[in-house]
């Protein structure tokens, strides 16, 4: 989950080393995983917002269950490297006039199961000390214009 660029060469290629396991991101037959360092090199195509596996010339792709696929200009391949804390992040986007939204997601070597959420009386939730944090809070442009 904390993938750091290392062994950066003059041609801009690098390895992605996991800061916790000290293994590196690998791309075998379109499948991403962690393995020995030094074999798999990567290149960030910043102008296209893609991360490419150098050996196969395939790009990271969040579609079809994730992995490596032929490079194309679709949302599923829009990634960036966030140096601190070390994320490989799929970029957020929207489509269909705002009716479809894709939130930022990161590669995760140890995903946690989702948590079910249910409704409770407010008093009961407050007694349990439950709190919520707003994420990606924004006012759509249309609403801002309407408010003016």
């Amino acid at each position: 989950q904390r993938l750091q660029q290392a062994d950066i060469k003059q041609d801009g290629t690098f390895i992605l080393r996991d800061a916790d396991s000290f293994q590196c991101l690998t791309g075998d037959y379109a499948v991403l995983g962690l393995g020995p360092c030094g074999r798999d090199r990567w290149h960030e195509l910043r102008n296209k917002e893609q991360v490419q596996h150098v050996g196969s010339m395939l790009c990271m792709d969040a579609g079809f269950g994730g992995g490596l696929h032929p490079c194309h200009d679709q949302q599923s391949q829009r990634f960036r490297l966030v140096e601190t804390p070390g994320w490989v992040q799929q970029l957020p986007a929207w489509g269909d006039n705002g009716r479809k939204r894709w939130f930022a997601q990161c590669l995760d070597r140890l995903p946690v199961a989702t948590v079910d959420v249910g409704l409770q009386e407010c008093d009961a939730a407050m007694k349990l000390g439950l709190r919520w944090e707003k994420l990606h809070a924004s006012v759509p442009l249309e609403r801002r214009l309407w408010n003016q």
Side-chain angles (χ1 to χ4, degrees), residues 5 44-46 49-51 60 77-83 86-92 104-107:
Q5 292 183 47
E44 184 175 16
L45 307 174
R46 289 187 182 155
E49 298 177 323
Q50 293 174 311
V51 177
M60 286 186 189
Q77 289 191 354
R78 292 185 61 229
F79 282 88
R80 72 174 175 158
L81 301 175
V82 182
E83 190 172 328
W87 296 335
V88 177
Q89 182 183 62
Q90 184 185 20
L91 296 172
Q105 299 183 73
C106 296
L107 287 184

Side-chain angles (χ1 to χ4, degrees), residues 94-112:
W94 59 273
D96 193 19
N97 229 10
R99 288 184 284 271
K100 293 182 180 178
R101 295 187 301 167
W102 295 275
F103 295 105
Q105 299 183 73
C106 296
L107 287 184
D108 191 348
R109 67 180 176 86
L110 296 171
V112 177

